[in-house]
Amino acid sequence: MKRNTYDAIDGVSRRSVLTLGITVGVGTIAGCLGTTDETEEETERETGDDVPQGDVGSEISEETRALAAEMVETIDDDLSVADWQFHSMFVPEYTDSGGLEADVQILGDAYADIVDRGFDYRSMPTALDENEITDFMVFLEPEWATAYLTGDWSKETYYAEIEASTH
């Protein structure tokens, strides 16, 4: 009996070769597309980076982004930054408010520090309540920080201006 070369090559049927090929291909694709059990939070914990990275617009320079991230890191110790965004305005959101007066001192000092090093964007820090709903917001203006840093405003005047911007 004559064997068909399409049916068997060296004793292995064409069907077996195709089945093996399909199995290997599907297994490879499944391995690449598989989900991971590791959450973003676990990844941050492993890398030691538990401060949110923020959503930064492409028009923001790397130096300016770094200054914003530095302020986030500074205030995170006291105010627990939940998230931050930086497009036309820098908006850190935090959850551990100590009240307006206490927050203004932390925010005002951290903001003045980055303005002193060239940060020139308006900021709107936002306190979130226990349900992560906006409790209050304040504005921080580069002109206010500059007036404070140059001695035109006292610390009390600077803080009062920030408190007056509450909404």
Side-chain angles (χ1 to χ4, degrees):
M1 173 177 210
K2 185 176 176 188
R3 290 183 121 182
N4 186 340
T5 56
Y6 293 108
D7 291 337
I9 299 174
D10 293 329
V12 179
S13 73
R14 181 172 183 247
R15 179 171 284 168
S16 296
V17 172
L18 287 174
T19 302
L20 178 63
I22 290 170
T23 303
V24 169
V26 169
T28 301
I29 291 171
C32 291
L33 298 177
T35 60
T36 178
D37 292 334
E38 188 173 287
T39 64
E40 185 177 317
E41 188 176 299
E42 289 169 340
T43 302
E44 288 174 352
R45 237 189 332 253
E46 287 173 9
T47 62
D49 185 12
D50 58 353
V51 177
Q53 294 303 304
D55 175 24
V56 181
S58 59
E59 73 281 359
I60 307 299
S61 75
E62 193 59 38
E63 181 180 335
T64 302
R65 181 202 185 286
L67 288 171
E70 197 171 306
M71 179 173 166
V72 167
E73 190 171 324
T74 299
I75 66 174
D76 185 58
D77 291 339
D78 296 314
L79 300 176
S80 298
V81 176
D83 196 11
W84 61 281
Q85 302 166 35
F86 190 4
H87 294 275
S88 60
M89 185 185 307
F90 172 44
V91 183
E93 297 176 330
Y94 60 94
T95 57
D96 288 340
S97 174
L100 179 61
E101 191 175 319
D103 293 1
V104 163
Q105 292 176 23
I106 295 164
L107 297 166
D109 290 349
Y111 185 72
D113 181 53
I114 64 171
V115 167
D116 193 36
R117 293 185 287 139
F119 190 86
D120 62 352
Y121 285 83
R122 185 180 208 193
S123 181
M124 186 176 64
T126 304
L128 305 175
D129 65 15
E130 61 278 349
N131 297 314
E132 294 192 3
I133 297 172
T134 301
D135 191 16
F136 64 87
M137 300 174 242
V138 295
F139 282 110
L140 299 170
E141 301 283 352
E143 298 80 20
W144 300 348
T146 301
Y148 163 62
L149 291 166
T150 59
D152 293 339
W153 285 4
S154 68
K155 185 175 269 196
E156 293 76 25
T157 302
Y158 175 53
Y159 290 165
E161 195 69 29
I162 296 169
E163 285 183 34
S165 75
T166 304
H167 58 284

